[in-house]
Amino acid sequence: MEQAATTEQKRQKSPTMTLLFEAQKIGKTFTRKNGETIEALVDLSLKLKPGSLIALVGPDASGKTTFLRIVAGLLTPSSGSLHFDGQSYAGQCPKVLSQIGYMPQKFGLYEDLTVQENLDLYADLKNVPRASRPKRYARLLELCAMTPFTQKLAGKLSGGMKQKLGLICTLIAPPKLLLLDEPTVGVDPLSRRELWEIISELQAESKMSVLVSTSYLNEAEACAEVLLLFEGHTLAQGPPLGLCQLAAGKSFLLPANAPTCPRDLQAWLLDQPEVIDAVPQAGDVRVIGHRNEQNNSCLSAAKMVPPRLEDSFMLLLKQQMGNVALAAQQAIAQVATPPRSAQEPVICTEHVSRHFGDFVAVNDVSFSVFPGEVFGLLGPNGAGKTTTFRMLCGLLAATSGSLRVAGIDVRKTPAEARRHIGYVAQKFSLYGPLSVLENLEFFAGAYGLQGARRRQRIAQVIDDFQLTDWLGIAAQELPGGWQRSLAMAVGLLHEPEILFLDEPTSGADPLSRRIFWKRIAALASQGVTVVVTTHFMEEAEYCDHILIQDGGIRLAFGSPAEIRAEAQKLNPDVTSMDDAFIAIVEKARSQKS
Amino acid sequence: MSFLKRSFFSDVLTVVHKELLMILKDKRSRIILVMPILVQTILFGYVDTYNLNCVEYALLDEDKSHSSRLLTAAFDGSSIFVRTATLQNSTQIADILDEKKALLVVHIASGFERLLVNKKRAPVQILIDGRNSNVGSTAAAYAQEIIQNFSRSPAGKHTPWISIEKRAWFNPNLETRWGIVPALTALLAVIQVLSIAGQSIAREKEQGTFDQLLVTPLSPGAILLGKTLPPVLVGLVQSSLVLLAALWIFQIPFAGSFFLLYLALLIFNFAVVGIGLSVSAFSQNMQQAMLYNFSLLMPMILLSGFATPISSMPWGFQIATLANPVRYGVELAQRIYLEGAPFSQIFPLLWPLALMACLGFACAAYLFKVKL
Amino acid sequence: MITFPRMLAFIRKEFRQMLRDRSSLTLGLILPMTLLLIFGFGLSLDVQDVPVDVVLEQNSPLTRDLFTKLALSPYLSPNLTSSWHKAENDLRQGKCQAIVRRSLKEHADGREHVQIIVNGRDSNTARIMSSYLESAISSWAEQRATTFSFQSSPPKPRLGKAEAETRIWYNAAMESRYFLVPGVVVLIMTLIGSLLTALIVAREWERGTWEALTATPIAKHEILAGKIVPYFCLGMVGLFLCLAAASFVFDVPRRGSLILIILDSAIYLLGCLGLGLYISAATKSQFLASQIVLVVSFMPTVMLSGFIFDLKSAPLIAQYLACLFPATWYVELLQSLFLAGNVAGLVLRDTAMLGLFAFLLLFAACAKMQKSLE
């Protein structure tokens, strides 16, 4: 009684009244099968005012999803308390749940139902009054430009469309609090922009609060507040501008001079002691580091620039991870780039088309890739990238045109061509129940590695990817980042001449993306050709050549600088790759319609 | 990478190794592969019998004479009949049978002894619950035998000029178990062999590992064969478990050659896996693979001659069983086990199975290639 | 806490998914038809027109006479052969079910010696055959005793002869179809009830739709209802198909009340649905769930329920075990309702048992359907 009375008093006195949601010292521990306990969250506290937008950022396994699930009532916290609208809850509480919208990372659309049926289902599940539905449907469908597709099966939509549909299903009953778990993973920049427009428009309309986890730091930068998690601990919390100041005076821009490509410059910079982080940006390299005026530092020529959130993020994380991250980066040996001579192209496609019934997925696309090149295949969701990719790997036959990979006609002898390629799928696609070592051994066998060479190669990739501690763990139980490493390790087991990577960095945090690209740079310098698709447009900067595709048609082809220059012709404001991409695709789409 | 000498054999082994790991890695699936087989063998060995060794009966003796007591004693003294009720009047009969308190009622009407003494036919009414017609008719035959023996002249069993000798080959006491348990060596394995083969491709499709497998230089043939051998192996191990139970628990004498039995089981398993893989390659996801497989499994088991004799089926169904691999498997297992049939005799059963195996693989390979 | 429109929406969704998936309709509608066909027309335990080889090693009129006698029987189709070797081969290959052979060597007491040989592989047929042949031959021998008068006529009996007068209740014609067709109803209810539902919760886990679902305010008994209703309807459609086929195609008499049959089937079906959903929610894996359902639901229904094999002859422990499966009670109930009529005591008891199972299993399924990810 007494306790109830005091909380009542507190509620009246304290400013909680104006708070929509409050989490106090939330902790969560899990117990693994082997009895080991893991602290997924430690003393996380968060206050949300109505109409606020807060981002959760942090590397893999930092507890972002766990926290969102706790807020959504799917998990019960081990300690701490949750209040929603002044009401305390933990776990299932229908009254609270009906006012919270939660969109999980892998949103549960029923793929065998149509768009309209999915909408109806979620409207019913959330008790949306029938009278208000037509208006709400029309508004939401219009927002995401899906009005013509209501009778389509959800399973037949492209990745970006699915994500948008998931979002409007979550929003069908206007929630007071919207929880989004990595809503933009695997979504192209155009759709990503649209998603955020939908969110901000609805937020302006209804004053809902949004809690979003994301690995895109430029998205987080647009939020009112950012919460940086690391291994369940809160590393930093506050408005993004404040957080950016952590890196004040440490951010520089270093121009890459003509013969050196930014990728190689970045790789070299990362090995310098005073450099904390380096990343290519619009033809230059952005560096975070301590400029030491005395000695002749590599940063003395660099221009100081205003810091951004990603800089602080890298700074904080590297402080935390210290040697671990360093070791991972340095494990990748950098080889001096051999001079690139004009050779025969290693991949050569001419007038390739692929039809699915009446639908033309790829329409008359031609391009060449030379040995040792990093080649980027970009395009919005549903642009035909995956189809092109699958044709190159021999998983899909082309309807017409010629495809030569490593000098072999893929249409004639796909098995022969496959021997020369490594392939890393977008979705984790190794054998989940098998352990890391068993997966490696199987694929070594599948690529025909035998005897001493097999042992040597397996040992080599285990060493390269630092998998030693995980060898006995089932692949499906690995944290996401390690799954990506394992998939790469498998793709590289047989030392392929060409490596195909389908969205290898989607959902990865900036730190692991740095490590990934450093590895790619190293491979390219060894003469391996890398073909990669990505939705992180700034990653296109790592590529030697880029092909932008939409609607199955080739829109642009060239080096990053050439693409940017081309986009600038369309729109002089273009500076970043993101902008360039959007300008080119939108131009093509407006011409088409 | 031309220095990599690729041999088909090691490719197949690689896939086999992986498939076995996938099947056996999970403790729950290891249990599900072994325990049910043992439990079912023991259960069916003991339960599934057409031999009636216990018939519950009710007696309505209206005669209450010396003769009726003698007849009653004959029933009670038999090892099969167990009296569960003694009735007072005929109105109770319906109740007893309706409620299944007894399988049959022996009704001795008053005047039974008088008729006997007068050297007339003295009827004894046997009222039988025919809901299960098979059990009913067997019980009727037993009751008739007891009544016949009761009134038979002590002079001899048959008319004196002839003696009839009954003999049952391969199963002298006509125990149902002797027929059923050897048949189980083939039958029980089918269920899970079909399931494992059925899910092997569908699961890769559903979980997205199929592409990863296909970008390796493994040839479709090696993948297919690699996916065939593990379920065949599982099937052989399961059959061996049943075989051990038959030999040690049920002590059914083994008349044939182990080599022939395993040869037959091997070909049989290949035929079954061929069907499973075809279904798997045809299906879009695991659910479809499992449901389609099951829809095939039921008719295959029912029309195998395991539970009811093929010779009692109508002509059309008898023809249909010719396309059913389980029919051959069951017959092969029984004939090799009980009769000790030599190769020359089982060959007519082996070649259709081998043909089915080949057709199954051709079909699976075709469907598999179409998907590529 | 049940909100009606929400529950209806969920039911509608499950209906759509069920109807859009061709494989569940195959299992729900085509398989039952196939099973009815097989059980109604294909399977039979009745012995008729059984091929029998009569071996004629010396062409004696006596053997010919016996052959003519056997040929008159509707149950046998005897075939005269002169080669013992051929007969033996026929028996092994299943071309004949029994051999009748006059022994060459004379019996010590001068009596004729006739051998009946059956193949014990199929012990049921063998037993029926050998006793049938025995009685046919001995009745023939009695008739011929006077004609051939080998020896003095048999001694006059002291007493009259007791004769069995057999009346088969419920199934006077002894048609095995009459008990197999109600059995199919049990099989089909089990299949639709537990095998299909075993997949549908595990599927939501495996496809990742469970998380979004649980984050909505839907209550777990609403989920349960949504998963049950469509498959319940499918099961009832299967039931009506079977009932119609039983009456109109197979002429199985139905002496009990139709309403009772439908009511009890509904209760049994609910129990099966509960079992399937429980297993599905507990394993969260489609493959494992389907295997477990085969073992705990389907195989016991075929083998342990008294559907084909009589339980009274089984060891006591198996009989007790059988009581733990609802199918055992349902089989007994259906056979009685079809063939015997509304037997009050039995119907009440079995219905009560089915009700108890249904309640427990549905309760367990509801408890297991946790709306949390832990």
Side-chain angles (χ1 to χ4, degrees):
Chain A
M1 277 302 279
E2 212 178 55
Q3 219 177 359
T6 49
T7 41
E8 195 59 30
Q9 276 173 1
K10 227 193 253 169
R11 200 182 294 170
Q12 277 164 1
K13 271 189 230 156
S14 70
T16 350
M17 279 307 279
T18 60
L19 284 184
L20 176 69
F21 168 80
E22 185 178 12
Q24 279 172 323
K25 292 196 171 294
I26 297 292
K28 179 74 192 169
T29 50
F30 291 108
T31 315
R32 273 209 186 139
K33 270 184 197 150
N34 55 14
E36 194 184 333
T37 49
I38 301 155
E39 286 199 315
L41 279 179
V42 185
D43 288 346
L44 195 156
S45 299
L46 182 68
K47 287 180 181 145
L48 268 176
K49 289 195 195 100
S52 56
L53 176 57
I54 293 190
L56 284 174
V57 296
D60 278 333
S62 57
K64 292 176 298 203
T65 301
T66 309
F67 181 61
L68 289 176
R69 283 177 174 170
I70 286 175
V71 178
L74 297 176
L75 293 176
T76 317
S78 316
S79 62
S81 65
L82 294 163
H83 290 272
F84 184 84
D85 243 356
Q87 189 189 358
S88 165
Y89 77 101
Q92 290 286 309
C93 172
K95 211 172 149 195
V96 171
L97 283 191
S98 58
Q99 304 189 48
I100 295 181
Y102 170 54
M103 180 174 161
Q105 202 166 7
K106 195 179 161 200
F107 186 77
L109 287 173
Y110 291 97
E111 307 213 330
D112 40 5
L113 298 184
T114 64
V115 171
Q116 186 63 51
E117 285 164 355
N118 268 296
L119 282 176
D120 285 339
L121 173 67
Y122 278 97
D124 284 323
L125 290 180
K126 293 181 179 172
N127 302 329
V128 178
R130 282 194 181 265
S132 65
R133 280 187 203 178
K135 220 178 124 198
R136 187 79 184 160
Y137 286 168
R139 173 88 181 106
L140 290 171
L141 286 169
E142 185 211 310
L143 268 179
C144 58
M146 281 181 56
T147 321
F149 307 116
T150 48
Q151 294 312 314
K152 218 170 170 182
L153 285 185
K156 300 256 160 81
L157 298 175
S158 72
M161 296 262 254
K162 276 185 194 159
Q163 211 66 11
K164 280 190 269 184
L165 179 58
L167 182 64
I168 61 174
C169 281
T170 316
L171 289 168
I172 202 114
K176 284 190 176 172
L177 173 59
L178 176 64
L179 308 171
L180 302 168
D181 195 1
E182 310 242 2
T184 49
V185 163
V187 178
D188 66 77
L190 275 158
S191 311
R192 211 154 67 214
R193 192 175 276 188
E194 283 165 14
L195 267 174
W196 279 104
E197 277 164 9
I198 297 172
I199 294 169
S200 60
E201 245 180 83
L202 289 172
Q203 200 179 14
E205 268 171 30
S206 66
K207 277 281 169 209
M208 66 174 176
S209 303
V210 181
L211 184 57
V212 56
S213 79
T214 180
S215 48
Y216 290 87
L217 288 167
N218 52 357
E219 286 176 358
E221 221 165 330
C223 297
E225 198 179 319
V226 176
L227 193 72
L228 173 57
L229 290 178
F230 177 72
E231 291 180 352
H233 296 268
T234 312
L235 272 193
Q237 190 170 3
L241 266 177
L243 291 182
C244 285
Q245 289 316 307
L246 291 172
K250 290 171 185 152
S251 302
F252 305 93
L253 210 56
L254 196 67
N257 295 322
T260 352
C261 68
R263 184 175 75 219
D264 293 335
L265 176 62
Q266 176 217 14
W268 174 77
L269 280 169
L270 282 173
D271 289 337
Q272 306 308 309
E274 65 268 45
V275 172
I276 294 163
D277 183 43
V279 59
Q281 186 188 347
D284 304 326
V285 177
R286 190 186 182 95
V287 192
I288 311 163
H290 310 281
R291 174 137 72 178
N292 201 334
E293 299 297 346
Q294 273 95 39
N295 52 25
N296 199 7
S297 155
C298 56
L299 293 180
S300 33
K303 185 175 79 179
M304 193 178 288
V305 286
R308 56 175 189 183
L309 189 59
E310 190 168 323
D311 300 341
S312 314
F313 178 88
M314 295 304 294
L315 205 63
L316 284 168
L317 280 186
K318 290 225 169 151
Q319 277 168 9
Q320 279 297 318
M321 296 176 77
N323 301 330
V324 184
L326 222 58
Q329 266 186 12
Q330 286 172 352
I332 306 158
Q334 193 66 31
V335 184
T337 317
R340 292 207 180 106
S341 54
Q343 285 163 302
E344 282 288 297
V346 70
I347 297 174
C348 183
T349 72
E350 278 163 25
H351 307 292
V352 169
S353 298
R354 170 71 207 198
H355 301 230
F356 293 100
D358 290 339
F359 175 70
V360 184
V362 173
N363 191 358
D364 194 26
V365 167
S366 312
F367 61 89
S368 309
V369 182
F370 290 89
E373 240 184 36
V374 178
F375 184 84
L377 200 52
L378 309 184
N381 297 109
K385 294 187 309 272
T386 308
T387 310
T388 311
F389 220 75
R390 289 170 60 86
M391 284 191 291
L392 287 173
C393 300
L395 289 172
L396 202 65
T399 312
S400 63
S402 88
L403 278 151
R404 296 181 75 79
V405 170
I408 298 157
D409 190 333
V410 181
R411 291 182 70 185
K412 282 191 189 125
T413 46
E416 188 58 33
R418 280 187 213 129
R419 233 169 260 184
H420 302 270
I421 64 173
Y423 172 76
V424 180
Q426 180 180 350
K427 209 179 107 200
F428 175 71
S429 58
L430 302 179
Y431 295 97
L434 301 192
S435 73
V436 170
L437 187 62
E438 284 159 351
N439 265 299
L440 288 173
E441 279 178 343
F442 167 66
F443 282 102
Y447 281 105
L449 303 181
Q450 276 160 352
R453 189 172 142 71
R454 172 188 184 138
R455 281 192 298 278
Q456 180 247 323
R457 281 305 301 160
I458 290 177
Q460 182 71 49
V461 296
I462 288 173
D463 193 45
D464 283 354
F465 289 85
Q466 308 197 303
L467 291 167
T468 326
D469 294 340
W470 301 96
L471 290 180
I473 310 263
Q476 65 199 5
E477 280 158 25
L478 288 179
W482 288 102
Q483 287 186 339
R484 281 189 291 270
S485 298
L486 177 61
M488 270 283 269
V490 163
L492 289 170
L493 260 177
H494 58 298
E495 299 182 283
E497 292 163 43
I498 308 160
L499 185 60
F500 287 96
L501 303 160
D502 198 0
E503 293 191 26
T505 51
S506 101
D509 59 85
L511 194 61
S512 31
R513 269 161 30 209
R514 297 286 189 282
I515 298 170
F516 168 82
W517 281 104
K518 185 161 187 220
R519 178 163 283 130
I520 295 302
L523 284 170
S525 67
Q526 287 159 25
V528 176
T529 313
V530 179
V531 179
V532 63
T533 69
T534 179
H535 286 313
F536 289 93
M537 289 305 136
E538 68 265 29
E539 289 184 351
E541 303 281 359
Y542 290 102
C543 301
D544 294 299
H545 286 101
I546 305 167
L547 175 73
I548 298 181
Q549 232 182 4
D550 188 30
I553 300 165
R554 168 179 152 163
L555 296 185
F557 178 78
S559 68
E562 286 162 7
I563 299 280
R564 270 196 310 276
E566 201 179 318
Q568 265 157 4
K569 277 186 246 160
L570 299 170
N571 180 355
D573 297 340
V574 166
T575 49
S576 71
M577 203 58 180
D578 235 27
D579 300 334
F581 174 81
I582 290 171
I584 289 172
V585 173
E586 276 181 345
K587 167 86 188 314
R589 284 190 177 174
S590 69
Q591 272 176 354
K592 208 168 147 194
S593 61
Chain B
M1 312 266 141
S2 52
F3 59 87
L4 296 177
K5 272 262 167 158
R6 308 191 48 82
S7 76
F8 185 75
F9 185 66
S10 72
D11 281 359
V12 172
L13 270 188
T14 305
V15 183
V16 167
H17 181 230
K18 184 218 75 177
E19 290 289 323
L20 278 180
L21 274 176
M22 290 289 282
I23 299 170
L24 300 175
K25 186 99 206 240
D26 185 10
K27 195 175 152 206
R28 292 186 299 179
S29 39
R30 283 200 301 267
I31 293 174
I32 212 94
L33 287 179
V34 174
M35 282 307 289
I37 288 290
L38 287 178
V39 173
Q40 287 177 66
T41 310
I42 291 169
L43 215 56
F44 302 158
Y46 282 120
V47 174
D48 294 346
T49 169
Y50 291 115
N51 308 22
L52 272 184
N53 46 36
C54 170
V55 177
E56 290 176 345
Y57 85 104
L59 177 72
L60 173 58
D61 181 2
E62 289 173 333
D63 197 41
K64 294 202 166 65
S65 60
H66 176 67
S67 304
S68 72
R69 271 191 294 276
L70 274 181
L71 181 60
T72 313
F75 271 97
D76 288 338
S78 79
S79 58
I80 293 165
F81 286 89
V82 176
R83 197 192 314 176
T84 53
T86 310
L87 309 182
Q88 299 311 320
N89 57 60
S90 56
T91 54
Q92 294 170 309
I93 295 178
D95 252 14
I96 286 283
L97 286 183
D98 281 349
E99 304 270 350
K100 289 201 153 190
K101 285 179 186 148
L103 182 66
L104 60 83
V105 175
V106 178
H107 181 190
I108 308 175
S110 59
F112 174 71
E113 192 171 52
R114 198 162 17 110
L115 287 170
L116 282 182
V117 173
N118 293 344
K119 301 183 182 174
K120 292 208 172 114
R121 291 175 55 239
V124 179
Q125 237 185 11
I126 311 283
L127 302 148
I128 294 175
D129 174 1
R131 271 171 273 195
N132 184 328
S133 63
N134 188 47
V135 173
S137 58
T138 316
Y142 285 154
Q144 277 167 352
E145 203 175 311
I146 287 182
I147 292 169
Q148 261 173 32
N149 284 343
F150 168 77
S151 59
R152 183 161 286 152
S153 56
K157 223 182 157 198
H158 306 287
T159 32
W161 68 275
I162 195 164
S163 82
I164 300 174
E165 183 198 3
K166 289 199 287 184
R167 254 207 262 160
W169 281 358
F170 319 124
N171 182 2
N173 296 323
L174 287 179
E175 289 204 54
T176 312
R177 192 178 297 154
W178 281 37
I180 279 191
V181 177
L184 287 179
T185 53
L187 190 83
L188 277 187
V190 172
I191 301 168
Q192 282 175 325
V193 167
L194 202 60
S195 297
I196 294 172
Q199 62 138 8
S200 69
I201 299 175
R203 180 196 243 181
E204 300 228 19
K205 276 188 211 161
E206 185 159 314
Q207 304 190 338
T209 50
F210 203 43
D211 282 358
Q212 194 75 52
L213 186 66
L214 292 181
V215 291
T216 64
L218 292 172
S219 64
I223 295 177
L224 214 55
L225 194 57
K227 285 189 170 293
T228 305
L229 294 176
V232 169
L233 266 175
V234 168
L236 287 180
V237 170
Q238 291 192 335
S239 296
S240 307
L241 285 175
V242 182
L243 192 63
L244 289 180
L247 292 171
W248 288 343
I249 299 178
F250 297 107
Q251 312 244 327
I252 304 168
F254 185 81
S257 110
F258 283 104
F259 170 75
L260 270 189
L261 181 65
Y262 275 90
L263 176 75
L265 286 174
L266 187 74
I267 297 179
F268 170 63
N269 274 317
F270 268 107
V272 173
V273 171
I275 295 176
L277 282 181
S278 301
V279 171
S280 197
F282 170 77
S283 304
Q284 301 300 315
N285 53 46
M286 274 167 77
Q287 184 195 347
Q288 285 186 3
M290 281 183 286
L291 295 184
Y292 286 139
N293 260 334
F294 195 78
S295 302
L296 283 177
L297 185 70
M298 287 284 306
M300 282 188 348
I301 290 185
L302 289 172
L303 294 178
S304 68
F306 167 72
T308 66
I310 292 174
S311 58
S312 301
M313 292 175 193
W315 179 79
F317 281 91
Q318 294 201 25
I319 300 291
T321 61
L322 294 179
N324 178 6
V326 184
R327 176 229 155 112
Y328 296 97
V330 163
E331 196 175 336
L332 277 167
Q334 285 181 332
R335 294 199 56 188
I336 297 172
Y337 193 111
L338 288 177
E339 297 177 14
F343 183 77
S344 59
Q345 283 193 12
I346 61 166
F347 182 70
L349 296 169
L350 276 182
W351 73 258
L353 267 186
L355 184 70
M356 274 180 230
C358 294
L359 283 178
F361 282 106
C363 180
Y366 172 75
L367 287 170
F368 191 78
K369 278 215 158 171
V370 163
K371 302 277 164 182
L372 285 188
Chain C
M1 266 324 289
I2 293 184
T3 323
F4 210 60
R6 193 162 65 197
M7 193 165 80
L8 274 183
F10 196 69
I11 292 172
R12 200 157 50 229
K13 168 227 145 197
E14 290 290 333
F15 253 115
R16 285 194 175 120
Q17 288 192 302
M18 180 181 85
L19 295 177
R20 252 167 228 177
D21 183 20
R22 214 169 296 161
S23 61
S24 48
L25 288 184
T26 306
L27 194 95
L29 297 175
I30 298 180
L31 184 63
M33 303 286 217
T34 321
L35 288 183
L36 270 177
L37 215 71
I38 292 178
F39 276 98
F41 292 124
L43 300 190
S44 163
L45 291 162
D46 311 333
V47 173
Q48 47 187 315
D49 272 340
V50 179
V52 174
D53 277 10
V54 178
V55 182
L56 190 72
E57 274 162 319
Q58 17 153 222
N59 201 349
S60 82
L62 201 61
T63 320
R64 287 186 167 283
D65 190 54
L66 175 60
F67 175 76
T68 327
K69 161 82 184 174
L70 294 180
L72 286 174
S73 156
Y75 299 108
L76 306 173
S77 82
N79 166 39
L80 210 54
T81 172
S82 58
S83 148
W84 166 244
H85 184 69
K86 178 185 176 294
E88 189 184 331
N89 249 342
D90 282 355
L91 186 68
R92 280 175 184 273
Q93 315 237 316
K95 284 182 194 151
C96 75
Q97 299 280 337
I99 303 175
V100 175
R101 176 201 202 190
R102 251 184 86 201
S103 192
L104 282 176
K105 62 173 192 297
E106 286 260 307
H107 218 257
D109 55 11
R111 288 196 293 169
E112 284 286 331
H113 194 74
V114 176
Q115 265 188 333
I116 301 168
I117 299 161
V118 289
N119 188 335
R121 203 170 69 205
D122 178 357
S123 59
N124 188 46
T125 315
R127 193 173 329 100
I128 297 173
M129 280 311 303
S130 73
S131 55
Y132 187 79
L133 279 171
E134 186 187 13
S135 72
I137 294 170
S138 45
S139 88
W140 166 78
E142 262 177 63
Q143 282 173 21
R144 289 293 170 271
T146 41
T147 328
F148 288 83
S149 61
F150 282 90
Q151 281 190 358
S152 58
S153 56
K156 287 247 158 158
R158 287 178 294 114
L159 290 170
K161 201 173 170 192
E163 271 187 2
E165 203 173 77
T166 311
R167 302 232 177 103
I168 312 274
W169 283 25
Y170 317 126
N171 184 0
M174 286 303 223
E175 291 267 13
S176 53
R177 192 164 78 197
Y178 286 6
F179 78 92
L180 288 178
V181 170
V184 184
V185 179
V186 180
L187 263 191
I188 290 169
M189 293 280 131
T190 313
L191 280 180
I192 297 179
S194 47
L195 188 66
L196 281 179
T197 48
L199 302 176
I200 57 176
V201 179
R203 192 174 62 193
E204 297 229 17
W205 278 96
E206 285 188 359
R207 295 188 185 168
T209 48
W210 191 256
E211 193 175 347
L213 187 66
T214 45
T216 69
I218 193 168
K220 63 182 177 183
H221 31 270
E222 290 170 4
I223 300 183
L224 193 70
K227 299 272 173 201
I228 285 177
V229 172
Y231 294 91
F232 182 78
C233 293
L234 187 66
M236 290 318 258
V237 170
L239 176 72
F240 289 126
L241 277 178
C242 292
L243 290 183
S247 301
F248 302 123
V249 184
F250 302 112
D251 298 323
V252 179
R254 187 176 44 71
R255 305 198 172 98
S257 130
L258 183 64
I259 294 177
L260 272 179
I261 294 182
I262 294 174
L263 186 76
D264 281 310
S265 303
I267 299 176
Y268 176 72
L269 186 58
L270 283 176
C272 285
L273 290 165
L275 179 67
L277 288 173
Y278 174 80
I279 292 173
S280 195
T283 56
K284 296 173 192 166
S285 144
Q286 295 184 66
F287 176 68
L288 215 57
S290 69
Q291 296 299 305
I292 291 177
V293 162
L294 281 187
V295 172
V296 304
S297 169
F298 177 69
M299 293 308 273
T301 304
V302 179
M303 302 292 187
L304 207 56
S305 66
F307 161 40
I308 295 179
F309 302 100
D310 184 55
L311 276 177
K312 285 285 181 320
S313 305
L316 213 55
I317 183 157
Q319 294 187 32
Y320 285 127
L321 198 65
C323 292
L324 295 179
F325 294 100
T328 313
W329 305 93
Y330 185 48
V331 164
E332 184 179 86
L333 191 58
L334 267 195
Q335 284 184 356
S336 297
L337 281 176
F338 266 97
L339 300 175
N342 302 328
V343 187
L346 184 141
V347 169
L348 275 179
R349 185 193 65 200
D350 291 1
T351 308
M353 283 310 290
L354 288 181
L356 181 69
F357 277 117
F359 174 76
L360 288 178
L361 290 169
L362 285 175
F363 185 78
C366 194
K368 201 77 199 172
M369 199 81 63
Q370 93 256 33
K371 267 197 74 190
S372 130
L373 298 173
E374 276 164 291

